[in-house]
Amino acid sequence: LIVIAPPGYVWDYEAADFIYAARHAGSTDPYVPGADADLPIPGIPAKPSASPFNVLAVAGASVSFRPRIKYGIITKIQVPLHTPVASANAFILLVGQDSAAAGPLQAGIAEARRVPRVFGATAWLDNPVANFDGAINFSFETVTLVPAGGGLVATGPPGFAATDATATCILSSRSTEPRPVPNCTCTFSGGDASSNI
């Protein structure tokens, strides 16, 4: 049993972080919700100690799985800074082999969520003359939704002082004209032009 994460991910967990048991009556031990049975492995697998760090060998060929039984694992993995673009952004499960180089008896694939991040960010001043006031304009895109109550923080370089208390946020996309965002203000504080949006 081998689980291959998308490139850039790193399996990184301690023994206590690796959960593979089903729920048992009267037990208070951690369990995998929805699992019908414990994963039949002799012990907790070692995390990868050498490249590729996104490939986790969970069990060898001596382990057998019963048909129509749902197994599962819960553990920790380091998420990369960017969504992989040079290969599939998916987790791959290979069953019935000891090596990723051999052909599996069975395989499954699950698409990974995109890594939340801001990209395409730009900032420019309409008056870049030293010691003169000017408006600063920010432009950026997000990969995923920023929900209500969420926020963004922009920090300028040392020496830039924010003089206005608030500024208007403008929402635009590739398909709509720019428009004001209700109840959205940019609050500036400190001499380093730090702002919360």
Side-chain angles (χ1 to χ4, degrees), residues 42 59 69 71 112 194:
I69 296 294
Y71 302 98
S194 181

Side-chain angles (χ1 to χ4, degrees), residues 35-55:
D36 298 325
D38 296 356
L39 193 67
I41 56 178
I44 294 172
K47 61 186 178 183
S49 58
S51 182
F53 295 102
N54 64 315
V55 178

Side-chain angles (χ1 to χ4, degrees), residues 88-153:
N89 183 36
F91 286 85
I92 301 172
L93 177 71
L94 305 176
V95 181
Q97 63 178 33
D98 286 322
S99 166
L105 296 177
Q106 299 179 57
I109 187 169
E111 184 176 354
R113 293 173 56 188
R114 297 182 70 186
V115 177
R117 62 182 298 266
V118 173
F119 68 100
T122 61
W124 68 97
L125 294 168
D126 66 354
N127 183 10
V129 179
N131 298 320
F132 280 84
D133 289 342
I136 188 165
N137 298 277
F138 292 102
S139 173
F140 60 89
E141 293 184 51
T142 61
V143 170
T144 53
L145 173 71
V146 178
L152 299 166
V153 177

